[in-house]
Structure formats: structure tokens, C-alpha cells
Amino acid sequence: MHRISDEQRRVRIGRRHLLAPSVRAESPVAVADAVVALHATDAATVFLSSCARLRVPEAAAVEQQLYEDVSLVRLLSMRNTLFVVSEEMAPWVEASNARAVAAKERRTLLKHLMEDGNGLDGQWLAATEKSVLAALAARGSATGSELSAAVPALRTKITVFPGKKQETVQGVASRVIRVLAAEGRIRRDRPRGSWTSSQFRWTASEPRPEREISRAQAELALRWLHSYGPATEEDLKWWTGWGVGQVRKALATAGAEEVELDSGATAWVAPQDQGTDPAPEPWAALLPALDPSAMGWADRGFHLAPEHRAALFDRSGNIGPTVWWNGRIVGGWAVRADGEPVWRLLTDVGRDATTAIEAEASRLADWVGDARITPRFRTPLERELTA
């Protein structure tokens, strides 16, 4: 069995994730395709992850492709998490993950409506959704609060988990909007405020034609392997949220090939991808919380020393902003209230690496400008740096 070393895996990150200066991308769409999907739970992450990989980092370029060209789209998909993918990739992600997530969201909402005991049912929900779509058609776009003002049914409150310890009263607006968005009938438009804001406007959209699930899962697995392979079944299972059977079927259909890791574990690569990538020039990167390169594998031991985890992860397992040097996570960073990026190295990487990291921090500060960045999921080191 062919063996791919941990060092070669780190080389692949630099080249295939477009982090080395010589391979950086010309457009945000190219970035999204290179890493398959950009985490979008935190709105700022999409911009920070994209611009870290662009030859010319510019928030306006990301906004153009998200809101004007709509060549980048947000989908509630893998692990019930919000991602941004290219329009070309979107049908595969929808069929392999997002469609099932949307169906579950609808079932959950209907369950809550019926448990509330006030006669709310599928017919009520269908009428409410029709009114929301009509309001968006009339307005073009609207915030959640504007939709609630225009559609009285969205102001309805229900009791969730009645009779249980977690019983609470909630409005239905966010849940109805979430279902419509998950099904592709509405999409996020420009936010209120800057690119760091998560308070989006909404606009109507058309669902895409459906694709066959098993074919879509094989296609997603193939593209993921090209960017993240070699990787184990457990890595793909974690990243997608699929069951073991689905993972194995997708790998087999994709024609994945077995390789051995330095740990002795069996892993998989895309077909005919067992060769070694030429090493790029030394590279440094400041990547945001939940960046794909930090979230691509269940086992990150080949690029992250275990003693650094406590400083870089929150209690739920979300990774914060990270400093990289040649494919390894070597520290963390943050942006202070005055806009200054600050970082701390957790590994001694030498003078040349420190100089390269300083240059990346300066590059970040230049394009971020007056924007202020606070990760949604804050980690011990990020909090300490901004204290």
C-alpha cells in the first residue's frame, strides 16, 4: 500500500487550499471550489477565509459574488451547519446533504406547531409561507423584522417542548424563515451593516432541480478527497455528517484509493492521486475561526499539536483564529478594539517564519480596514489577546 507522510499532507494544504502565495486564487468562487465549502455560521468567516487565499484580498469581491452574481450561495448542509459553496457545487451539496436537512427542519417545525395545541398545522404553515413569499415578491428584499410586520402570522408565538424542563415560548418567524431558506425558496441578501454582520435581508429564490442522492454523495466525496485527502473514513463521516454505510458507498462509487498514513492508519485519496505534490515556497497564514483548513478532518494531529488544543478551541469544539506556518498550526490571533491584529505563537518557528507572519498580519489589517472582528465562538487565546 502506498504511504503518504504527514509532511506531504501539510504540503498539500499549502497548495490545494491556496494558502501558499504562488497558488492563491483570482476569485472567491475559485477559493470556495478549492476548499469545497466555506464555513458560514459566522458571517465574517466567509470573507476572512476567502481573502486569506486571494491574490488581491478584497471584501467587495466576496460581496459581489454573494449578492450580485450569486455565484456563491449559502446552504444549510453538512452537519446541519451553514456553508457557502459555489453555484456549480451547490446542486451536489443540496442532493447529498441539504435536502435531508431541510426535510428535518420542516418536520421539526410541524412537530412544534402541533404540540403547541392551538390548532396550528401544515395548512397554517403553508398559508404563512405563501404570505412570506408574496411579501418578498412585493418588496424585493426584507429583514426578518420587516417580514414579521408585513405577515401577521409570523408574529405568532408557540410553546416549545410543553411540559418538559426546557419548555419555553418562542416566536415562529425565525423558524419559518429557516425552513424556507433550507428549501431554497428564499436566500440571504445583503446584511444590515457591514460584511461582518449576521443580520441579513431575505429575498426570494428558485429551488434547484434535484439530483440523485448516491451520485451526489460520491461527487462530494471525490471533491473533498481531492482537497483534503488522504483522509480516513472517520474524517469524511465527521465532515459530512453521514453514516458509516453512506461514507463507504460514496468512497467506493468515487473510486477512492487506499493509502497508509504515518500513524499506520488506512486512509483514502481521489483516484490516481497517490503522488507527491511539489512543495511550494514557505508560507504563513492567519486563518479565521472555523476556517476549512482547520475544520477539514476529525483527526487534526498531523497539523495541530495536542497541547495547543485547550488554547485554540472553545468548549463545544469550535476552533478559533489560527496562525499557520508551512501547514502547521503554530499559534492564534485576534483583532483588538482599535483594529490592530495581534497574535501569539505557541511554537517557536524562528525568525523567518515570524517575519512572514508579520507580513500576513499587515496584509490582513490593510484589507480589513475599519471593520471589527469578534468571532461568534470565542476561544481562550482569542479572549486573552483582546483583553
Side-chain angles (χ1 to χ4, degrees):
M1 187 186 300
H2 185 79
R3 186 168 188 165
I4 297 182
S5 69
D6 287 350
E7 177 57 31
Q8 181 58 23
R9 296 179 77 185
R10 293 190 287 269
V11 167
R12 289 186 175 208
I13 291 177
R15 295 193 70 87
R16 302 192 183 191
H17 292 204
L18 307 183
L19 290 166
S22 62
V23 297
R24 285 176 180 159
E26 299 292 342
S27 75
V29 166
V31 170
D33 280 335
V35 296
V36 185
L38 295 160
H39 279 260
T41 305
D42 189 333
T45 296
V46 177
F47 291 81
L48 293 165
S49 291
S50 296
C51 288
R53 296 168 168 86
L54 289 174
R55 292 187 186 279
V56 181
E58 186 182 16
V62 184
E63 290 180 311
Q64 174 72 29
Q65 296 193 341
L66 277 171
Y67 307 121
E68 303 301 328
D69 306 339
V70 198
S71 50
L72 291 174
V73 296
R74 286 181 170 88
L75 294 175
L76 190 65
S77 50
M78 286 74 71
R79 305 190 311 280
N80 206 33
T81 299
L82 194 64
F83 285 90
V84 162
V85 301
S86 69
E87 177 59 35
E88 190 272 334
M89 190 67 201
W92 302 112
V93 174
E94 279 191 335
S96 63
N97 284 79
R99 199 186 307 156
V101 170
K104 184 178 179 180
E105 290 289 328
R106 178 168 290 280
R107 289 195 302 271
T108 299
L109 176 54
L110 286 170
K111 183 173 181 288
H112 286 320
L113 292 177
M114 289 185 287
E115 288 178 346
D116 181 65
N118 286 318
L120 305 180
D121 56 13
Q123 187 174 356
W124 177 90
L125 178 57
T128 302
E129 290 171 331
K130 183 177 180 180
S131 296
V132 170
L133 295 175
L136 285 177
R139 293 169 173 262
S141 68
T143 64
S145 58
E146 288 169 344
L147 285 173
S148 292
V151 181
L154 288 181
R155 301 196 290 273
T156 302
K157 294 187 180 296
I158 59 173
T159 301
V160 180
F161 304 115
K164 298 181 180 179
K165 183 177 180 181
Q166 61 268 46
E167 178 180 319
T168 184
V169 176
Q170 296 180 350
V172 300
S174 62
R175 291 180 177 271
V176 172
I177 289 170
R178 182 179 175 91
V179 168
L180 287 170
E183 293 177 346
R185 294 197 282 166
I186 65 175
R187 64 173 176 83
R188 288 167 177 79
D189 202 2
R190 287 187 178 272
R192 298 178 63 185
S194 76
W195 54 268
T196 63
S197 172
S198 293
Q199 297 183 10
F200 291 97
R201 294 178 176 86
W202 298 91
T203 190
S205 64
E206 290 294 327
R208 297 173 184 82
E210 294 187 0
R211 295 190 178 180
E212 197 271 324
I213 295 175
S214 61
R215 182 187 171 204
Q217 290 180 337
E219 181 67 23
L220 182 60
L222 181 63
R223 297 189 186 214
W224 181 82
L225 282 175
H226 182 75
S227 294
Y228 296 89
T232 65
E233 286 183 357
E234 183 59 30
D235 290 328
L236 182 56
K237 178 178 179 292
W238 177 84
W239 190 83
T240 58
W242 298 339
V244 173
Q246 292 173 301
V247 167
R248 291 176 177 170
K249 182 178 179 181
L251 289 171
T253 305
E257 298 175 354
E258 288 187 43
V259 295
E260 185 181 6
L261 302 179
D262 275 355
S263 64
T266 297
W268 301 87
V269 294
Q272 301 180 342
D273 194 25
Q274 298 188 23
T276 58
D277 288 23
E281 71 277 26
W283 59 273
L286 271 64
L287 300 183
L290 303 178
D291 184 84
S293 296
M295 295 288 289
W297 302 266
D299 181 2
R300 303 169 184 135
F302 73 100
H303 67 62
L304 173 64
E307 61 268 24
H308 297 341
R309 291 187 64 91
L312 296 173
F313 286 78
D314 71 5
R315 293 180 179 178
S316 299
N318 300 302
I319 196 166
T322 49
V323 176
W324 292 66
W325 175 244
N326 284 344
R328 296 179 188 270
I329 296 176
V330 296
W333 64 276
V335 175
R336 288 182 173 157
D338 62 2
E340 178 190 3
V342 291
W343 69 91
R344 178 177 301 162
L345 297 179
L346 303 175
T347 301
D348 183 3
V349 292
R351 182 177 297 178
D352 290 346
T354 302
T355 300
I357 292 164
E358 289 173 349
E360 283 300 304
S362 177
R363 182 173 180 263
L364 173 70
D366 285 345
W367 77 260
V368 166
D370 295 332
R372 296 295 174 262
I373 302 162
T374 302
R376 176 173 294 188
F377 306 106
R378 305 195 67 186
T379 58
L381 181 55
E382 189 272 335
R383 289 180 181 275
E384 188 176 340
L385 289 172
T386 55

